[in-house]
PDB file of all heavy atoms in Angstrom:
ATOM      1  N   ARG A  27     -25.413  36.540   5.097  1.00 96.00           N
ATOM      2  CA  ARG A  27     -24.269  37.076   4.369  1.00 96.00           C
ATOM      3  C   ARG A  27     -22.963  36.650   5.040  1.00 96.00           C
ATOM      4  O   ARG A  27     -22.018  36.225   4.373  1.00 96.00           O
ATOM      5  CB  ARG A  27     -24.339  38.597   4.289  1.00 96.00           C
ATOM      6  CG  ARG A  27     -23.193  39.135   3.444  1.00 96.00           C
ATOM      7  CD  ARG A  27     -23.027  40.609   3.589  1.00 96.00           C
ATOM      8  NE  ARG A  27     -21.892  41.050   2.799  1.00 96.00           N
ATOM      9  CZ  ARG A  27     -21.075  42.015   3.158  1.00 96.00           C
ATOM     10  NH1 ARG A  27     -21.282  42.651   4.283  1.00 96.00           N
ATOM     11  NH2 ARG A  27     -20.060  42.373   2.399  1.00 96.00           N
ATOM     12  N   VAL A 168     -26.614  41.539   0.798  1.00 97.00           N
ATOM     13  CA  VAL A 168     -26.458  42.976   1.077  1.00 97.00           C
ATOM     14  C   VAL A 168     -27.615  43.750   0.463  1.00 97.00           C
ATOM     15  O   VAL A 168     -28.211  44.626   1.090  1.00 97.00           O
ATOM     16  CB  VAL A 168     -25.120  43.499   0.536  1.00 97.00           C
ATOM     17  CG1 VAL A 168     -25.005  45.001   0.768  1.00 97.00           C
ATOM     18  CG2 VAL A 168     -23.963  42.778   1.210  1.00 97.00           C
ATOM     19  N   ARG A 172     -30.537  46.236   2.265  1.00 96.00           N
ATOM     20  CA  ARG A 172     -30.848  47.599   1.834  1.00 96.00           C
ATOM     21  C   ARG A 172     -32.319  47.708   1.431  1.00 96.00           C
ATOM     22  O   ARG A 172     -32.998  48.695   1.732  1.00 96.00           O
ATOM     23  CB  ARG A 172     -29.986  47.989   0.627  1.00 96.00           C
ATOM     24  CG  ARG A 172     -28.503  47.764   0.743  1.00 96.00           C
ATOM     25  CD  ARG A 172     -27.837  48.557   1.813  1.00 96.00           C
ATOM     26  NE  ARG A 172     -26.392  48.582   1.609  1.00 96.00           N
ATOM     27  CZ  ARG A 172     -25.530  49.065   2.484  1.00 96.00           C
ATOM     28  NH1 ARG A 172     -25.951  49.567   3.623  1.00 96.00           N
ATOM     29  NH2 ARG A 172     -24.257  49.053   2.228  1.00 96.00           N
TER      30      ARG A 172
ATOM     31  N   SER B  89     -15.262  55.560  -2.265  1.00 98.00           N
ATOM     32  CA  SER B  89     -16.642  56.022  -2.241  1.00 98.00           C
ATOM     33  C   SER B  89     -16.959  56.511  -0.839  1.00 98.00           C
ATOM     34  O   SER B  89     -17.073  55.717   0.089  1.00 98.00           O
ATOM     35  CB  SER B  89     -17.599  54.881  -2.626  1.00 98.00           C
ATOM     36  OG  SER B  89     -18.938  55.299  -2.481  1.00 98.00           O
ATOM     37  N   TYR B  92     -21.501  56.710  -0.768  1.00 97.00           N
ATOM     38  CA  TYR B  92     -22.257  55.548  -1.240  1.00 97.00           C
ATOM     39  C   TYR B  92     -23.742  55.707  -0.854  1.00 97.00           C
ATOM     40  O   TYR B  92     -24.034  56.170   0.249  1.00 97.00           O
ATOM     41  CB  TYR B  92     -21.673  54.289  -0.585  1.00 97.00           C
ATOM     42  CG  TYR B  92     -22.200  52.991  -1.139  1.00 97.00           C
ATOM     43  CD1 TYR B  92     -21.684  52.470  -2.333  1.00 97.00           C
ATOM     44  CD2 TYR B  92     -23.222  52.306  -0.503  1.00 97.00           C
ATOM     45  CE1 TYR B  92     -22.170  51.284  -2.856  1.00 97.00           C
ATOM     46  CE2 TYR B  92     -23.709  51.124  -1.023  1.00 97.00           C
ATOM     47  CZ  TYR B  92     -23.187  50.613  -2.188  1.00 97.00           C
ATOM     48  OH  TYR B  92     -23.674  49.454  -2.707  1.00 97.00           O
ATOM     49  N   ASP B 168     -13.902  46.003  -6.496  1.00 93.00           N
ATOM     50  CA  ASP B 168     -15.357  45.844  -6.588  1.00 93.00           C
ATOM     51  C   ASP B 168     -16.044  46.956  -5.792  1.00 93.00           C
ATOM     52  O   ASP B 168     -15.419  47.672  -5.005  1.00 93.00           O
ATOM     53  CB  ASP B 168     -15.813  44.439  -6.155  1.00 93.00           C
ATOM     54  CG  ASP B 168     -15.501  44.135  -4.717  1.00 93.00           C
ATOM     55  OD1 ASP B 168     -15.864  44.936  -3.826  1.00 93.00           O
ATOM     56  OD2 ASP B 168     -14.868  43.099  -4.464  1.00 93.00           O
ATOM     57  N   GLU B 169     -17.304  47.070  -6.043  1.00 96.00           N
ATOM     58  CA  GLU B 169     -18.122  48.193  -5.543  1.00 96.00           C
ATOM     59  C   GLU B 169     -18.007  48.377  -4.041  1.00 96.00           C
ATOM     60  O   GLU B 169     -17.906  49.495  -3.542  1.00 96.00           O
ATOM     61  CB  GLU B 169     -19.562  47.917  -5.937  1.00 96.00           C
ATOM     62  CG  GLU B 169     -20.597  48.934  -5.503  1.00 96.00           C
ATOM     63  CD  GLU B 169     -21.997  48.409  -5.806  1.00 96.00           C
ATOM     64  OE1 GLU B 169     -22.195  47.855  -6.907  1.00 96.00           O
ATOM     65  OE2 GLU B 169     -22.872  48.530  -4.943  1.00 96.00           O
ATOM     66  N   PHE B 170     -18.020  47.257  -3.307  1.00 96.00           N
ATOM     67  CA  PHE B 170     -18.062  47.364  -1.848  1.00 96.00           C
ATOM     68  C   PHE B 170     -16.705  47.735  -1.248  1.00 96.00           C
ATOM     69  O   PHE B 170     -16.652  48.372  -0.200  1.00 96.00           O
ATOM     70  CB  PHE B 170     -18.506  46.026  -1.225  1.00 96.00           C
ATOM     71  CG  PHE B 170     -19.936  45.652  -1.502  1.00 96.00           C
ATOM     72  CD1 PHE B 170     -20.408  44.397  -1.145  1.00 96.00           C
ATOM     73  CD2 PHE B 170     -20.817  46.533  -2.111  1.00 96.00           C
ATOM     74  CE1 PHE B 170     -21.732  44.031  -1.389  1.00 96.00           C
ATOM     75  CE2 PHE B 170     -22.138  46.176  -2.362  1.00 96.00           C
ATOM     76  CZ  PHE B 170     -22.594  44.912  -1.993  1.00 96.00           C
ATOM     77  N   ALA B 171     -15.656  47.309  -1.911  1.00 96.00           N
ATOM     78  CA  ALA B 171     -14.329  47.388  -1.277  1.00 96.00           C
ATOM     79  C   ALA B 171     -13.866  48.824  -1.055  1.00 96.00           C
ATOM     80  O   ALA B 171     -13.077  49.093  -0.156  1.00 96.00           O
ATOM     81  CB  ALA B 171     -13.301  46.633  -2.118  1.00 96.00           C
ATOM     82  N   ILE B 172     -14.332  49.754  -1.881  1.00 97.00           N
ATOM     83  CA  ILE B 172     -13.804  51.122  -1.786  1.00 97.00           C
ATOM     84  C   ILE B 172     -14.695  52.043  -0.951  1.00 97.00           C
ATOM     85  O   ILE B 172     -14.449  53.238  -0.868  1.00 97.00           O
ATOM     86  CB  ILE B 172     -13.605  51.752  -3.185  1.00 97.00           C
ATOM     87  CG1 ILE B 172     -14.946  51.831  -3.943  1.00 97.00           C
ATOM     88  CG2 ILE B 172     -12.576  50.977  -3.972  1.00 97.00           C
ATOM     89  CD1 ILE B 172     -14.879  52.757  -5.153  1.00 97.00           C
ATOM     90  N   VAL B 173     -15.739  51.479  -0.353  1.00 98.00           N
ATOM     91  CA  VAL B 173     -16.644  52.328   0.430  1.00 98.00           C
ATOM     92  C   VAL B 173     -15.957  52.708   1.740  1.00 98.00           C
ATOM     93  O   VAL B 173     -15.643  51.851   2.562  1.00 98.00           O
ATOM     94  CB  VAL B 173     -17.974  51.605   0.704  1.00 98.00           C
ATOM     95  CG1 VAL B 173     -18.863  52.450   1.619  1.00 98.00           C
ATOM     96  CG2 VAL B 173     -18.694  51.310  -0.606  1.00 98.00           C
ATOM     97  N   LYS B 174     -15.732  53.983   1.931  1.00 98.00           N
ATOM     98  CA  LYS B 174     -15.070  54.479   3.140  1.00 98.00           C
ATOM     99  C   LYS B 174     -15.643  55.859   3.435  1.00 98.00           C
ATOM    100  O   LYS B 174     -15.354  56.825   2.726  1.00 98.00           O
ATOM    101  CB  LYS B 174     -13.561  54.556   2.929  1.00 98.00           C
ATOM    102  CG  LYS B 174     -12.810  55.118   4.146  1.00 98.00           C
ATOM    103  CD  LYS B 174     -11.313  55.184   3.886  1.00 98.00           C
ATOM    104  CE  LYS B 174     -10.597  55.886   5.032  1.00 98.00           C
ATOM    105  NZ  LYS B 174      -9.148  55.958   4.835  1.00 98.00           N
ATOM    106  N   PRO B 175     -16.476  55.967   4.449  1.00 98.00           N
ATOM    107  CA  PRO B 175     -17.076  57.272   4.747  1.00 98.00           C
ATOM    108  C   PRO B 175     -16.020  58.281   5.205  1.00 98.00           C
ATOM    109  O   PRO B 175     -14.896  57.906   5.570  1.00 98.00           O
ATOM    110  CB  PRO B 175     -18.045  56.968   5.900  1.00 98.00           C
ATOM    111  CG  PRO B 175     -18.138  55.486   5.993  1.00 98.00           C
ATOM    112  CD  PRO B 175     -16.895  54.932   5.391  1.00 98.00           C
ATOM    113  N   TRP B 203     -22.211  61.776   3.528  1.00 98.00           N
ATOM    114  CA  TRP B 203     -22.916  60.491   3.435  1.00 98.00           C
ATOM    115  C   TRP B 203     -24.388  60.804   3.136  1.00 98.00           C
ATOM    116  O   TRP B 203     -25.084  61.363   3.955  1.00 98.00           O
ATOM    117  CB  TRP B 203     -22.777  59.727   4.749  1.00 98.00           C
ATOM    118  CG  TRP B 203     -23.124  58.271   4.674  1.00 98.00           C
ATOM    119  CD1 TRP B 203     -24.222  57.665   5.185  1.00 98.00           C
ATOM    120  CD2 TRP B 203     -22.336  57.236   4.065  1.00 98.00           C
ATOM    121  NE1 TRP B 203     -24.177  56.314   4.935  1.00 98.00           N
ATOM    122  CE2 TRP B 203     -23.036  56.017   4.251  1.00 98.00           C
ATOM    123  CE3 TRP B 203     -21.124  57.207   3.384  1.00 98.00           C
ATOM    124  CZ2 TRP B 203     -22.554  54.797   3.779  1.00 98.00           C
ATOM    125  CZ3 TRP B 203     -20.650  55.984   2.921  1.00 98.00           C
ATOM    126  CH2 TRP B 203     -21.353  54.799   3.122  1.00 98.00           C
ATOM    127  N   LYS B 212     -22.118  52.585  11.298  1.00 97.00           N
ATOM    128  CA  LYS B 212     -21.784  52.239  12.669  1.00 97.00           C
ATOM    129  C   LYS B 212     -20.512  52.994  13.031  1.00 97.00           C
ATOM    130  O   LYS B 212     -19.813  53.507  12.150  1.00 97.00           O
ATOM    131  CB  LYS B 212     -21.624  50.730  12.872  1.00 97.00           C
ATOM    132  CG  LYS B 212     -20.569  50.042  12.030  1.00 97.00           C
ATOM    133  CD  LYS B 212     -20.609  48.544  12.334  1.00 97.00           C
ATOM    134  CE  LYS B 212     -19.659  47.778  11.458  1.00 97.00           C
ATOM    135  NZ  LYS B 212     -19.734  46.318  11.676  1.00 97.00           N
ATOM    136  N   ALA B 253     -16.202  56.101  11.515  1.00 98.00           N
ATOM    137  CA  ALA B 253     -17.479  55.597  10.999  1.00 98.00           C
ATOM    138  C   ALA B 253     -17.241  54.558   9.910  1.00 98.00           C
ATOM    139  O   ALA B 253     -16.212  54.559   9.236  1.00 98.00           O
ATOM    140  CB  ALA B 253     -18.297  56.762  10.424  1.00 98.00           C
ATOM    141  N   LYS B 254     -18.236  53.692   9.724  1.00 98.00           N
ATOM    142  CA  LYS B 254     -18.174  52.679   8.672  1.00 98.00           C
ATOM    143  C   LYS B 254     -19.600  52.344   8.271  1.00 98.00           C
ATOM    144  O   LYS B 254     -20.492  52.324   9.121  1.00 98.00           O
ATOM    145  CB  LYS B 254     -17.465  51.429   9.211  1.00 98.00           C
ATOM    146  CG  LYS B 254     -17.340  50.286   8.225  1.00 98.00           C
ATOM    147  CD  LYS B 254     -16.743  49.067   8.899  1.00 98.00           C
ATOM    148  CE  LYS B 254     -16.835  47.815   8.046  1.00 98.00           C
ATOM    149  NZ  LYS B 254     -18.217  47.433   7.711  1.00 98.00           N
ATOM    150  N   ASP B 255     -19.794  52.063   6.989  1.00 97.00           N
ATOM    151  CA  ASP B 255     -21.100  51.566   6.593  1.00 97.00           C
ATOM    152  C   ASP B 255     -21.389  50.292   7.388  1.00 97.00           C
ATOM    153  O   ASP B 255     -20.493  49.493   7.641  1.00 97.00           O
ATOM    154  CB  ASP B 255     -21.129  51.249   5.098  1.00 97.00           C
ATOM    155  CG  ASP B 255     -22.467  50.646   4.668  1.00 97.00           C
ATOM    156  OD1 ASP B 255     -23.370  51.405   4.326  1.00 97.00           O
ATOM    157  OD2 ASP B 255     -22.607  49.397   4.700  1.00 97.00           O
ATOM    158  N   ASN B 256     -22.637  50.129   7.780  1.00 95.00           N
ATOM    159  CA  ASN B 256     -22.994  49.008   8.641  1.00 95.00           C
ATOM    160  C   ASN B 256     -22.637  47.647   8.052  1.00 95.00           C
ATOM    161  O   ASN B 256     -22.372  46.689   8.772  1.00 95.00           O
ATOM    162  CB  ASN B 256     -24.508  49.050   8.865  1.00 95.00           C
ATOM    163  CG  ASN B 256     -24.880  48.584  10.238  1.00 95.00           C
ATOM    164  OD1 ASN B 256     -24.326  49.038  11.227  1.00 95.00           O
ATOM    165  ND2 ASN B 256     -25.814  47.660  10.313  1.00 95.00           N
ATOM    166  N   ASP B 257     -22.620  47.559   6.716  1.00 94.00           N
ATOM    167  CA  ASP B 257     -22.500  46.245   6.078  1.00 94.00           C
ATOM    168  C   ASP B 257     -21.252  46.071   5.218  1.00 94.00           C
ATOM    169  O   ASP B 257     -20.765  44.952   5.060  1.00 94.00           O
ATOM    170  CB  ASP B 257     -23.729  45.994   5.174  1.00 94.00           C
ATOM    171  CG  ASP B 257     -25.038  46.207   5.904  1.00 94.00           C
ATOM    172  OD1 ASP B 257     -25.174  45.640   7.007  1.00 94.00           O
ATOM    173  OD2 ASP B 257     -25.903  46.943   5.399  1.00 94.00           O
ATOM    174  N   ILE B 258     -20.735  47.149   4.644  1.00 96.00           N
ATOM    175  CA  ILE B 258     -19.662  46.975   3.656  1.00 96.00           C
ATOM    176  C   ILE B 258     -18.562  48.008   3.861  1.00 96.00           C
ATOM    177  O   ILE B 258     -18.739  48.986   4.598  1.00 96.00           O
ATOM    178  CB  ILE B 258     -20.210  47.119   2.212  1.00 96.00           C
ATOM    179  CG1 ILE B 258     -20.801  48.521   2.009  1.00 96.00           C
ATOM    180  CG2 ILE B 258     -21.242  46.046   1.896  1.00 96.00           C
ATOM    181  CD1 ILE B 258     -21.242  48.803   0.585  1.00 96.00           C
ATOM    182  N   GLY B 259     -17.437  47.769   3.195  1.00 97.00           N
ATOM    183  CA  GLY B 259     -16.371  48.770   3.146  1.00 97.00           C
ATOM    184  C   GLY B 259     -15.478  48.791   4.365  1.00 97.00           C
ATOM    185  O   GLY B 259     -15.397  47.831   5.130  1.00 97.00           O
ATOM    186  N   THR B 260     -14.808  49.929   4.524  1.00 98.00           N
ATOM    187  CA  THR B 260     -13.796  50.059   5.576  1.00 98.00           C
ATOM    188  C   THR B 260     -14.080  51.270   6.469  1.00 98.00           C
ATOM    189  O   THR B 260     -14.890  52.131   6.132  1.00 98.00           O
ATOM    190  CB  THR B 260     -12.390  50.224   4.958  1.00 98.00           C
ATOM    191  OG1 THR B 260     -12.394  51.364   4.094  1.00 98.00           O
ATOM    192  CG2 THR B 260     -11.973  49.005   4.162  1.00 98.00           C
ATOM    193  N   TRP B 261     -13.381  51.323   7.582  1.00 98.00           N
ATOM    194  CA  TRP B 261     -13.554  52.399   8.537  1.00 98.00           C
ATOM    195  C   TRP B 261     -13.000  53.715   7.991  1.00 98.00           C
ATOM    196  O   TRP B 261     -12.013  53.739   7.265  1.00 98.00           O
ATOM    197  CB  TRP B 261     -12.844  52.073   9.846  1.00 98.00           C
ATOM    198  CG  TRP B 261     -13.545  51.012  10.630  1.00 98.00           C
ATOM    199  CD1 TRP B 261     -13.242  49.691  10.671  1.00 98.00           C
ATOM    200  CD2 TRP B 261     -14.691  51.184  11.469  1.00 98.00           C
ATOM    201  NE1 TRP B 261     -14.127  49.030  11.487  1.00 98.00           N
ATOM    202  CE2 TRP B 261     -15.031  49.914  11.990  1.00 98.00           C
ATOM    203  CE3 TRP B 261     -15.474  52.291  11.846  1.00 98.00           C
ATOM    204  CZ2 TRP B 261     -16.114  49.716  12.860  1.00 98.00           C
ATOM    205  CZ3 TRP B 261     -16.542  52.087  12.709  1.00 98.00           C
ATOM    206  CH2 TRP B 261     -16.860  50.818  13.213  1.00 98.00           C
ATOM    207  N   SER B 262     -13.664  54.782   8.380  1.00 98.00           N
ATOM    208  CA  SER B 262     -13.175  56.116   8.035  1.00 98.00           C
ATOM    209  C   SER B 262     -11.897  56.403   8.809  1.00 98.00           C
ATOM    210  O   SER B 262     -11.520  55.646   9.724  1.00 98.00           O
ATOM    211  CB  SER B 262     -14.226  57.161   8.397  1.00 98.00           C
ATOM    212  OG  SER B 262     -14.287  57.323   9.817  1.00 98.00           O
TER     213      SER B 262
END
Side-chain angles (χ1 to χ4, degrees):
Chain A
R27 184 193 178 216
V168 177
R172 310 297 196 189
Chain B
S89 175
Y92 189 81
D168 63 52
E169 179 188 317
F170 292 172
I172 61 165
V173 175
K174 178 180 174 179
W203 196 252
K212 59 182 176 183
K254 179 185 169 300
D255 177 89
N256 215 50
D257 308 310
I258 61 174
T260 57
W261 288 98
S262 73

